[in-house]
Amino acid sequence: MKKIDKLKSLYLEVSKHSGYQILPNCISSIVGENGFNIKSRYENERLKYILSKINVIDKTVLDVGGNTGFFTFELIDNGATSVHYYEGNKTHANFVKFASDFLGMNNEIEITNGYFTFRDELKNKIYDIAILLNVLHHFGDDYGDNQISIEEAKFGFIEQLNRLAGTAKILVFQFGYNWKGNTDFNLFKHGSKKEMIRFIKKGIQNKWEILKIGVAEYKNDKIKYCDLNNKNICRFDVLGEFLNRPIFILKSLV
């Protein structure tokens, strides 16, 4: 019981980006969900789409900016051989470390408490899959040079994606429309999926092949991620900014 209480207290510690992910099933089934003030970012819906498009069984995974480890733990539970979890937030990393110990997953989960620089970490390492969810728009804020301009940041996004091409065979990523999460710094003039997709296609064309793009739709009173089409490529403001962020699934050409 003391370990369960410790697990709860570690998750509940307040820091930047806390309460950002729901608990993975392997933890929520033990500690329950009462008493947690979590604003879900549709983790289960995104996970379902990702798993429907890529095979994670017996694969090695890099989870960059893993927050409190929802995707790390869920990918292990869905058959991944190992996950290298990177997270610069010490509070989140401590939670994942304690949870990993508690669940006996130390052999499957490697934990690095540090911000991924897309440089030295890539040397002589190859992963089957890399997960980079909602990290890039924090370049120049949570990590990287905070003196850069918005145009320099956008160049940095593409550079970082392309550096991963030699390290990951498959890349799954999302990023936001507002630099640093600030609505005063719009990355695209109209904040549209079309602009974001065009920007990514142009920047990565020599390094990555786009396998799939997933888009959130509201169906039967539920959110479901579906393949991109001529209808759902439109921006739906009623869904909010987060649900207008596409999920890109890429295959390395390197």
Side-chain angles (χ1 to χ4, degrees):
M1 183 60 69
K2 287 184 178 180
K3 286 188 175 181
I4 292 177
D5 290 340
K6 176 68 172 179
L7 196 61
K8 289 181 178 179
S9 67
L10 284 171
Y11 183 87
L12 291 170
E13 284 189 24
V14 176
S15 64
K16 188 175 184 180
H17 307 307
S18 60
Y20 188 91
Q21 287 183 344
I22 63 173
L23 293 166
N25 185 62
C26 59
I27 297 176
S28 64
S29 62
I30 296 171
V31 304
E33 296 181 344
N34 293 331
F36 294 96
N37 183 23
I38 305 170
K39 182 181 179 182
S40 171
R41 269 74 175 182
Y42 301 92
E43 290 82 8
N44 281 318
E45 290 81 359
R46 288 186 287 150
L47 177 68
K48 185 176 181 179
Y49 180 79
I50 292 167
L51 292 177
S52 75
K53 301 303 175 184
I54 61 174
N55 176 26
V56 303
I57 297 174
D58 297 330
K59 305 299 184 184
T60 58
V61 180
L62 170 67
D63 185 4
V64 178
N67 199 264
T68 46
F70 174 85
F71 289 95
T72 286
F73 289 108
E74 289 290 346
L75 291 177
I76 292 292
D77 279 350
N78 279 278
T81 302
S82 64
V83 178
H84 190 167
Y85 159 95
Y86 258 89
E87 175 55 58
N89 184 308
K90 186 176 181 180
T91 300
H92 298 335
N94 286 343
F95 169 77
V96 173
K97 177 65 169 67
F98 189 87
S100 179
D101 290 341
F102 181 76
L103 296 167
M105 290 186 174
N106 286 329
N107 290 333
E108 291 86 13
I109 300 174
E110 179 182 356
I111 297 170
T112 299
N113 177 206
Y115 287 105
F116 201 80
T117 67
F118 297 86
R119 293 184 182 277
D120 292 341
E121 307 95 340
L122 304 178
K123 293 179 180 178
N124 303 316
K125 291 189 177 181
I126 297 177
Y127 301 89
D128 293 312
I129 302 164
I131 306 292
L132 183 69
L133 297 174
N134 303 297
V135 171
L136 290 180
H137 60 277
H138 294 292
F139 177 54
D141 182 19
D142 289 340
Y143 72 101
D145 182 2
N146 61 12
Q147 298 301 311
I148 60 174
S149 68
I150 192 168
E151 288 305 316
E152 289 172 323
K154 290 172 71 174
F155 176 83
F157 299 165
I158 296 299
E159 187 178 39
Q160 289 163 19
L161 287 175
N162 287 339
R163 282 185 189 145
L164 280 172
T167 293
K169 299 173 185 177
I170 297 291
L171 173 63
V172 181
F173 83 97
Q174 278 182 296
F175 72 110
Y177 290 93
N178 303 312
W179 187 35
K180 305 182 182 183
N182 188 330
T183 54
D184 291 332
F185 301 136
N186 297 320
L187 291 167
F188 307 103
K189 184 177 180 180
H190 301 291
S192 70
K193 297 171 196 164
K194 289 181 180 179
E195 289 170 299
M196 180 183 284
I197 293 168
R198 189 184 308 122
F199 169 74
I200 293 300
K201 281 185 175 180
K202 181 179 179 181
I204 66 169
Q205 58 186 329
N206 296 320
K207 297 288 187 178
W208 297 99
E209 173 191 354
I210 297 178
L211 296 180
K212 291 292 180 180
I213 298 176
V215 172
E217 293 186 16
Y218 190 65
K219 290 188 173 185
N220 301 319
D221 298 325
K222 294 181 179 180
I223 291 297
K224 180 180 180 180
Y225 279 82
C226 305
D227 290 341
L228 180 74
N229 58 46
N230 291 333
K231 183 177 179 181
N232 64 24
I233 196 172
C234 297
R235 182 182 175 95
F236 297 106
D237 288 330
V238 68
L239 294 180
E241 191 267 353
F242 190 90
L243 287 176
N244 275 281
R245 301 176 186 179
I247 297 173
F248 294 84
I249 300 179
L250 313 180
K251 179 181 178 181
S252 176
L253 297 174
V254 177

